[in-house]
Amino acid sequence: MHCNILGAPVQDGSRRMGCEMGPSALRTAGLIAALSELGHTVTDLGAVVPAAVRPLTHGNLALKALPEISAWTAGIADAAYAASGGAMPIFLGGDHSISAGTLSGLARRAAEAGRPLFVLWLDAHPDFHTLDTTVSGNLHGVPLAYASGQPGFDGYFPDLPAKVDPARICTLGIRSVDPAERQALRAAGVTAHDMRAIDEHGIAPLLGAFLERVAAENGLLHVSLDVDFLDPSIAPAVGTTVPGGATFREAHLVMEMLSDSGLVSSLDLVELNPFLDERGRTATLMVDLTASLMGRRIMDRPTRSF
């Protein structure tokens, strides 16, 4: 497979500085070498350049860096569309606001191909706030709402050439959901599996049912992997730690199931903050998980010591 690597060094959507170093850390941790060793052809496209920043004001005075995130979203959307032509793009964040752009560009590509785009959102948070409902004002909490066409973004974020159907979105591993998001997820028809559902049923049947839907519709599948999907005991390099996340084995099982399905067409790796890492252990784990998704099995993993 041909993989296009594209960095999106965005940190304006988060309350903690450091995510802009994420793409460099993932490269340093050996992402390109890991993919190449698995037989994939890799092209490193460098870093996205944001569009021109335009003045924007909004009635929600809590919003932070709205003009900057809007500009990044426009630049990332165009870059994601270009990178997805004839290759599997892997986007290196940057905070999760980059997904507003990646999903926009990928939805445009899917619409032109006449295939539905499905989204697997691996995150402690659903990121389903709108500009009106966010209390923190941190815009890494809005990308999934924006990309699925929820109200309130017109005139502030770029117009969407195509929207992601909320019924084709699955959030897996969520454990920090604000009341406004909970109501919006239910109303939109998003499939939401929290950690209690994983505890009760296991992660495999929940993911398996979603993958069956993707396959039945001949869909393209975008996977968005946030560091805080993982338990902070194994992945400390994130500014939004929430206890009780996915274990090492649960995370690898997800990636192996995705690999076995052959359905994944694009990937986000987001919210890695190297400033908060411990000797690169989180960056290394994210690379290992990516390798599992791209065909490596646990038995093939090199032994690592930290």
Side-chain angles (χ1 to χ4, degrees):
M1 181 180 291
H2 185 189
C3 301
N4 281 334
I5 305 295
L6 186 61
V10 183
Q11 63 182 9
D12 298 295
S14 173
R15 63 184 173 84
R16 295 288 296 268
M17 297 295 99
C19 280
E20 69 175 1
M21 300 184 288
S24 178
L26 289 164
R27 290 182 173 101
T28 301
L31 177 63
I32 293 173
L35 295 171
S36 299
E37 288 168 4
L38 291 167
H40 303 294
T41 303
V42 182
T43 302
D44 192 338
L45 300 176
V48 177
V49 176
V53 176
R54 57 192 178 98
L56 292 171
T57 57
H58 190 279
N60 183 352
L61 299 181
L63 295 181
K64 302 176 180 68
L66 177 59
E68 290 78 9
I69 294 299
S70 180
W72 274 114
T73 299
I76 293 169
D78 288 343
Y81 174 77
S84 59
M88 175 180 172
I90 300 177
F91 305 103
L92 314 182
D95 65 58
H96 221 156
S97 69
I98 76 164
S99 297
T102 62
L103 286 173
S104 174
L106 295 169
R108 174 186 169 195
R109 177 69 66 184
E112 290 181 359
R115 297 177 66 184
L117 178 65
F118 287 76
V119 177
L120 178 63
W121 198 259
L122 301 173
D123 195 334
H125 313 85
D127 297 339
F128 212 70
H129 271 297
T130 68
L131 299 181
D132 297 305
T133 65
T134 176
V135 175
S136 72
N138 297 319
L139 294 181
H140 64 174
V142 307
L144 204 51
Y146 162 70
S148 61
Q150 302 307 302
F153 292 93
D154 291 348
Y156 300 101
F157 274 40
D159 293 339
L160 287 168
K163 299 174 184 177
V164 178
D165 183 349
R168 294 191 174 109
I169 297 172
C170 175
T171 63
L172 186 64
I174 56 174
R175 54 196 189 277
S176 178
V177 184
D178 292 334
E181 290 180 298
R182 189 179 303 115
Q183 181 177 354
L185 289 165
R186 187 179 300 113
V190 173
T191 298
H193 295 309
D194 61 11
M195 287 305 297
R196 174 174 174 173
I198 291 173
D199 290 341
E200 290 182 346
H201 304 288
I203 207 163
L206 301 176
L207 176 58
F210 181 65
L211 294 177
E212 287 176 2
R213 291 178 50 207
V214 180
E217 293 192 46
N218 189 32
L220 299 171
L221 177 58
H222 177 68
V223 175
S224 196
L225 174 60
D226 188 312
V227 170
D228 71 18
F229 168 69
L230 307 164
D231 192 82
S233 65
I234 60 170
V238 64
T240 52
T241 55
V242 184
T247 66
F248 179 91
R249 270 308 309 149
E250 285 172 332
H252 272 288
L253 177 58
V254 168
M255 296 302 146
E256 290 164 8
M257 289 179 64
L258 290 169
S259 177
D260 291 345
S261 76
L263 296 169
V264 179
S265 53
S266 51
L267 173 67
D268 294 331
L269 301 174
V270 300
E271 293 287 351
L272 175 66
N273 188 333
F275 188 75
L276 303 175
D277 211 355
E278 299 170 359
R279 299 176 61 189
R281 63 184 294 208
T282 308
T284 299
L285 177 55
M286 292 291 277
V287 169
D288 284 348
L289 290 171
T290 302
S292 284
L293 187 151
M294 299 301 293
R296 184 197 285 171
R297 294 294 174 265
I298 288 294
M299 289 181 62
D300 299 327
R301 290 184 71 255
T303 300
R304 299 187 185 275
S305 60
F306 297 100

